[in-house]
Short mmCIF file of all heavy atoms in Angstrom, two decimals:
data_model
loop_
_atom_site.label_atom_id
_atom_site.label_comp_id
_atom_site.label_asym_id
_atom_site.label_seq_id
_atom_site.Cartn_x
_atom_site.Cartn_y
_atom_site.Cartn_z
N GLU O 29 -5.85 11.38 9.61
CA GLU O 29 -5.28 11.50 8.32
C GLU O 29 -4.37 12.76 8.17
O GLU O 29 -3.27 12.75 7.62
CB GLU O 29 -6.42 11.67 7.27
CG GLU O 29 -5.92 11.58 5.80
CD GLU O 29 -7.02 11.61 4.79
OE1 GLU O 29 -8.25 11.59 5.17
OE2 GLU O 29 -6.73 11.68 3.56
N GLU O 30 -4.82 13.85 8.91
CA GLU O 30 -4.00 15.07 8.98
C GLU O 30 -2.66 14.86 9.67
O GLU O 30 -1.62 15.34 9.19
CB GLU O 30 -4.78 16.17 9.70
CG GLU O 30 -6.00 16.67 9.00
CD GLU O 30 -7.22 15.79 9.28
OE1 GLU O 30 -7.12 14.79 9.92
OE2 GLU O 30 -8.29 16.19 8.75
N GLN O 31 -2.64 14.12 10.74
CA GLN O 31 -1.36 13.72 11.38
C GLN O 31 -0.48 12.91 10.51
O GLN O 31 0.78 13.18 10.46
CB GLN O 31 -1.61 12.98 12.71
CG GLN O 31 -2.24 13.82 13.78
CD GLN O 31 -2.62 12.95 15.03
OE1 GLN O 31 -3.08 11.82 14.88
NE2 GLN O 31 -2.44 13.50 16.24
N CYS O 32 -1.03 12.03 9.75
CA CYS O 32 -0.21 11.19 8.88
C CYS O 32 0.46 12.01 7.84
O CYS O 32 1.60 11.84 7.44
CB CYS O 32 -1.12 10.09 8.25
SG CYS O 32 -1.63 8.80 9.43
N LYS O 33 -0.32 13.03 7.25
CA LYS O 33 0.30 13.90 6.27
C LYS O 33 1.46 14.70 6.82
O LYS O 33 2.50 14.81 6.22
CB LYS O 33 -0.82 14.84 5.76
CG LYS O 33 -1.78 14.20 4.81
CD LYS O 33 -2.91 15.16 4.37
CE LYS O 33 -3.91 14.51 3.49
NZ LYS O 33 -5.05 15.42 3.15
N LYS O 34 1.25 15.16 8.03
CA LYS O 34 2.39 15.93 8.64
C LYS O 34 3.59 15.11 8.95
O LYS O 34 4.73 15.59 8.86
CB LYS O 34 1.88 16.54 9.99
CG LYS O 34 0.92 17.78 9.79
CD LYS O 34 0.53 18.30 11.19
CE LYS O 34 -0.46 19.46 11.00
NZ LYS O 34 -0.89 19.99 12.32
N GLU O 35 3.43 13.85 9.25
CA GLU O 35 4.45 12.95 9.61
C GLU O 35 5.02 12.22 8.34
O GLU O 35 5.96 11.44 8.44
CB GLU O 35 4.01 11.89 10.62
CG GLU O 35 3.68 12.50 11.96
CD GLU O 35 3.09 11.52 12.92
OE1 GLU O 35 3.36 10.28 12.75
OE2 GLU O 35 2.33 11.88 13.83
N GLY O 36 4.46 12.55 7.15
CA GLY O 36 4.93 11.89 5.93
C GLY O 36 4.65 10.46 5.82
O GLY O 36 5.36 9.71 5.12
N ILE O 37 3.57 9.97 6.44
CA ILE O 37 3.19 8.60 6.39
C ILE O 37 2.17 8.38 5.24
O ILE O 37 1.07 9.04 5.22
CB ILE O 37 2.56 8.12 7.71
CG1 ILE O 37 3.51 8.31 8.86
CG2 ILE O 37 2.07 6.64 7.59
CD1 ILE O 37 2.86 8.04 10.19
N GLU O 38 2.51 7.53 4.22
CA GLU O 38 1.56 7.27 3.21
C GLU O 38 0.52 6.28 3.69
O GLU O 38 0.88 5.26 4.35
CB GLU O 38 2.33 6.59 1.98
CG GLU O 38 3.16 7.58 1.22
CD GLU O 38 3.64 6.97 -0.12
OE1 GLU O 38 2.79 6.88 -1.01
OE2 GLU O 38 4.85 6.68 -0.23
N VAL O 39 -0.71 6.53 3.38
CA VAL O 39 -1.78 5.84 3.99
C VAL O 39 -2.79 5.30 2.90
O VAL O 39 -2.82 5.76 1.80
CB VAL O 39 -2.56 6.65 5.04
CG1 VAL O 39 -1.69 7.12 6.17
CG2 VAL O 39 -3.30 7.81 4.36
N LEU O 40 -3.54 4.31 3.32
CA LEU O 40 -4.61 3.76 2.66
C LEU O 40 -5.92 4.06 3.53
O LEU O 40 -5.85 3.76 4.70
CB LEU O 40 -4.57 2.29 2.39
CG LEU O 40 -3.32 1.81 1.63
CD1 LEU O 40 -3.11 0.32 1.63
CD2 LEU O 40 -3.40 2.30 0.13
N ILE O 41 -6.98 4.54 2.91
CA ILE O 41 -8.14 4.87 3.61
C ILE O 41 -9.33 3.95 3.23
O ILE O 41 -9.61 3.74 2.07
CB ILE O 41 -8.59 6.38 3.31
CG1 ILE O 41 -7.43 7.35 3.61
CG2 ILE O 41 -9.88 6.73 4.11
CD1 ILE O 41 -7.08 7.47 5.05
N GLY O 42 -10.00 3.52 4.30
CA GLY O 42 -11.23 2.69 4.05
C GLY O 42 -12.40 3.37 4.74
O GLY O 42 -12.24 3.88 5.85
N GLN O 43 -13.50 3.40 4.07
CA GLN O 43 -14.69 4.13 4.59
C GLN O 43 -15.93 3.16 4.41
O GLN O 43 -16.01 2.48 3.38
CB GLN O 43 -14.96 5.46 3.92
CG GLN O 43 -13.96 6.47 4.29
CD GLN O 43 -14.28 7.85 3.74
OE1 GLN O 43 -15.17 7.98 2.92
NE2 GLN O 43 -13.61 8.85 4.25
N SER O 44 -16.87 3.25 5.33
CA SER O 44 -18.17 2.65 5.18
C SER O 44 -19.17 3.53 5.84
O SER O 44 -18.88 4.28 6.82
CB SER O 44 -18.19 1.24 5.77
OG SER O 44 -17.97 1.25 7.15
N PHE O 45 -20.41 3.44 5.38
CA PHE O 45 -21.46 4.31 5.89
C PHE O 45 -22.56 3.49 6.62
O PHE O 45 -22.85 2.35 6.25
CB PHE O 45 -22.14 5.12 4.72
CG PHE O 45 -21.18 6.05 4.14
CD1 PHE O 45 -20.40 5.63 3.00
CD2 PHE O 45 -20.98 7.32 4.53
CE1 PHE O 45 -19.56 6.49 2.39
CE2 PHE O 45 -20.12 8.19 4.01
CZ PHE O 45 -19.35 7.75 2.87
N PHE O 46 -23.00 4.06 7.75
CA PHE O 46 -24.01 3.38 8.62
C PHE O 46 -25.27 3.10 7.84
O PHE O 46 -26.01 2.13 8.21
CB PHE O 46 -24.29 4.23 9.82
CG PHE O 46 -23.21 4.03 10.93
CD1 PHE O 46 -21.82 4.26 10.62
CD2 PHE O 46 -23.54 3.70 12.21
CE1 PHE O 46 -20.85 4.09 11.61
CE2 PHE O 46 -22.55 3.56 13.22
CZ PHE O 46 -21.26 3.72 12.88
N ARG O 47 -25.62 3.90 6.80
CA ARG O 47 -26.80 3.73 6.13
C ARG O 47 -26.84 2.36 5.35
O ARG O 47 -27.94 1.94 4.88
CB ARG O 47 -27.11 4.86 5.18
CG ARG O 47 -26.09 5.02 4.08
CD ARG O 47 -26.51 6.11 3.08
NE ARG O 47 -25.44 6.35 2.02
CZ ARG O 47 -24.51 7.30 2.15
NH1 ARG O 47 -24.51 8.12 3.18
NH2 ARG O 47 -23.61 7.47 1.11
N ALA O 48 -25.70 1.74 5.20
CA ALA O 48 -25.62 0.43 4.54
C ALA O 48 -25.55 -0.69 5.60
O ALA O 48 -25.35 -1.86 5.15
CB ALA O 48 -24.45 0.35 3.60
N ASN O 49 -25.63 -0.41 6.84
CA ASN O 49 -25.45 -1.43 7.91
C ASN O 49 -26.94 -1.71 8.44
O ASN O 49 -27.62 -0.93 8.86
CB ASN O 49 -24.66 -0.86 9.08
CG ASN O 49 -24.48 -1.75 10.25
OD1 ASN O 49 -25.29 -1.80 11.14
ND2 ASN O 49 -23.45 -2.61 10.19
N GLY O 50 -27.21 -3.08 8.38
CA GLY O 50 -28.50 -3.56 8.73
C GLY O 50 -28.87 -3.25 10.16
O GLY O 50 -30.02 -2.85 10.39
N LYS O 51 -28.01 -3.43 11.12
CA LYS O 51 -28.37 -3.18 12.48
C LYS O 51 -28.64 -1.61 12.74
O LYS O 51 -29.56 -1.32 13.44
CB LYS O 51 -27.16 -3.63 13.38
CG LYS O 51 -27.42 -3.45 14.91
CD LYS O 51 -28.55 -4.26 15.42
CE LYS O 51 -28.71 -4.08 17.02
NZ LYS O 51 -27.58 -4.58 17.75
N ALA O 52 -27.81 -0.78 12.16
CA ALA O 52 -27.95 0.66 12.29
C ALA O 52 -29.34 1.09 11.74
O ALA O 52 -30.07 1.82 12.34
CB ALA O 52 -26.86 1.41 11.63
N LEU O 53 -29.74 0.54 10.60
CA LEU O 53 -30.99 0.85 10.02
C LEU O 53 -32.19 0.36 10.96
O LEU O 53 -33.19 1.02 11.12
CB LEU O 53 -31.15 0.29 8.65
CG LEU O 53 -30.31 0.98 7.58
CD1 LEU O 53 -30.47 0.28 6.19
CD2 LEU O 53 -30.58 2.47 7.48
N ALA O 54 -32.02 -0.94 11.46
CA ALA O 54 -33.00 -1.48 12.33
C ALA O 54 -33.16 -0.64 13.55
O ALA O 54 -34.32 -0.49 14.17
CB ALA O 54 -32.61 -2.89 12.70
N LEU O 55 -32.09 0.01 14.03
CA LEU O 55 -32.09 0.83 15.19
C LEU O 55 -32.72 2.23 14.91
O LEU O 55 -32.92 3.02 15.81
CB LEU O 55 -30.74 1.00 15.82
CG LEU O 55 -30.15 -0.26 16.47
CD1 LEU O 55 -28.60 0.06 16.81
CD2 LEU O 55 -30.88 -0.62 17.69
N GLY O 56 -32.83 2.48 13.65
CA GLY O 56 -33.29 3.83 13.23
C GLY O 56 -32.16 4.90 13.32
O GLY O 56 -32.41 6.08 13.60
N GLU O 57 -30.92 4.39 13.16
CA GLU O 57 -29.73 5.27 13.27
C GLU O 57 -28.90 5.26 11.95
O GLU O 57 -27.77 4.63 11.99
CB GLU O 57 -28.89 4.84 14.50
CG GLU O 57 -29.58 4.86 15.81
CD GLU O 57 -29.68 6.21 16.37
OE1 GLU O 57 -29.20 7.23 15.72
OE2 GLU O 57 -30.37 6.38 17.40
N PRO O 58 -29.37 5.75 10.87
CA PRO O 58 -28.66 5.64 9.62
C PRO O 58 -27.45 6.61 9.49
O PRO O 58 -26.66 6.48 8.52
CB PRO O 58 -29.76 5.93 8.64
CG PRO O 58 -30.64 6.90 9.31
CD PRO O 58 -30.68 6.49 10.76
N ASP O 59 -27.38 7.68 10.29
CA ASP O 59 -26.37 8.67 10.17
C ASP O 59 -25.05 8.12 10.70
O ASP O 59 -24.98 7.85 11.96
CB ASP O 59 -26.79 9.99 10.92
CG ASP O 59 -27.88 10.67 10.19
OD1 ASP O 59 -27.94 10.58 8.93
OD2 ASP O 59 -28.71 11.37 10.82
N GLY O 60 -24.07 8.03 9.95
CA GLY O 60 -22.78 7.60 10.45
C GLY O 60 -21.74 7.25 9.35
O GLY O 60 -22.05 6.95 8.30
N LEU O 61 -20.45 7.30 9.83
CA LEU O 61 -19.37 7.04 8.92
C LEU O 61 -18.27 6.32 9.77
O LEU O 61 -17.95 6.76 10.89
CB LEU O 61 -18.80 8.38 8.41
CG LEU O 61 -17.40 8.31 7.67
CD1 LEU O 61 -17.43 7.54 6.41
CD2 LEU O 61 -16.92 9.77 7.41
N CYS O 62 -17.68 5.36 9.17
CA CYS O 62 -16.50 4.68 9.81
C CYS O 62 -15.34 4.90 8.83
O CYS O 62 -15.40 4.52 7.70
CB CYS O 62 -16.74 3.17 9.97
SG CYS O 62 -15.30 2.27 10.55
N LYS O 63 -14.29 5.45 9.33
CA LYS O 63 -13.14 5.79 8.49
C LYS O 63 -11.88 5.10 9.11
O LYS O 63 -11.55 5.40 10.27
CB LYS O 63 -12.86 7.30 8.43
CG LYS O 63 -11.66 7.72 7.65
CD LYS O 63 -11.52 9.20 7.61
CE LYS O 63 -10.28 9.67 6.82
NZ LYS O 63 -10.22 11.16 6.71
N LEU O 64 -11.30 4.22 8.41
CA LEU O 64 -10.11 3.46 8.94
C LEU O 64 -8.83 3.96 8.15
O LEU O 64 -8.92 4.20 6.93
CB LEU O 64 -10.26 1.95 8.70
CG LEU O 64 -11.45 1.34 9.38
CD1 LEU O 64 -11.43 -0.19 9.18
CD2 LEU O 64 -11.46 1.56 10.89
N ILE O 65 -7.69 4.10 8.84
CA ILE O 65 -6.51 4.49 8.28
C ILE O 65 -5.42 3.41 8.40
O ILE O 65 -5.18 2.94 9.54
CB ILE O 65 -6.00 5.84 8.91
CG1 ILE O 65 -7.06 6.94 8.72
CG2 ILE O 65 -4.66 6.25 8.30
CD1 ILE O 65 -6.73 8.28 9.43
N PHE O 66 -4.83 2.98 7.27
CA PHE O 66 -3.83 1.94 7.27
C PHE O 66 -2.53 2.56 6.79
O PHE O 66 -2.53 3.39 5.82
CB PHE O 66 -4.23 0.78 6.40
CG PHE O 66 -5.48 0.09 6.85
CD1 PHE O 66 -6.72 0.58 6.43
CD2 PHE O 66 -5.36 -1.03 7.66
CE1 PHE O 66 -7.91 -0.17 6.82
CE2 PHE O 66 -6.53 -1.68 8.03
CZ PHE O 66 -7.78 -1.24 7.60
N ASP O 67 -1.44 2.12 7.39
CA ASP O 67 -0.08 2.46 6.84
C ASP O 67 0.08 1.77 5.51
O ASP O 67 -0.06 0.53 5.41
CB ASP O 67 0.99 2.10 7.84
CG ASP O 67 2.38 2.49 7.40
OD1 ASP O 67 2.86 1.95 6.43
OD2 ASP O 67 3.03 3.28 8.10
N LYS O 68 0.35 2.51 4.45
CA LYS O 68 0.49 1.93 3.09
C LYS O 68 1.62 0.89 3.02
O LYS O 68 1.48 -0.18 2.36
CB LYS O 68 0.68 3.04 2.01
CG LYS O 68 0.60 2.44 0.66
CD LYS O 68 0.70 3.63 -0.42
CE LYS O 68 0.60 3.11 -1.84
NZ LYS O 68 0.71 4.16 -2.80
N GLU O 69 2.68 1.17 3.67
CA GLU O 69 3.88 0.29 3.60
C GLU O 69 3.68 -1.00 4.39
O GLU O 69 3.83 -2.10 3.87
CB GLU O 69 5.16 1.05 4.10
CG GLU O 69 6.44 0.16 3.94
CD GLU O 69 7.64 0.90 4.33
OE1 GLU O 69 7.56 2.12 4.65
OE2 GLU O 69 8.73 0.33 4.46
#
């Protein structure tokens, strides 16, 4: 996201947390974040 700001790229951000993922909870691994960056245009 920092690189996109420097390059003047407008972005859309998507996030999800591992604590809402069934497999992660079954594994006993609830700590986690997935962050996706999309070019807005």
Side-chain angles (χ1 to χ4, degrees):
E29 188 175 357
E30 292 84 355
Q31 286 174 325
C32 291
K33 286 178 182 176
K34 286 182 181 178
E35 295 174 24
I37 301 172
E38 286 193 74
V39 298
L40 298 170
I41 304 292
Q43 292 188 345
S44 65
F45 295 92
F46 280 52
R47 63 175 176 264
N49 178 271
K51 180 68 179 293
L53 290 180
L55 291 172
E57 301 284 356
D59 289 328
L61 166 69
C62 174
K63 177 178 179 179
L64 303 183
I65 301 175
F66 298 88
D67 183 297
K68 187 175 181 179
E69 182 178 352

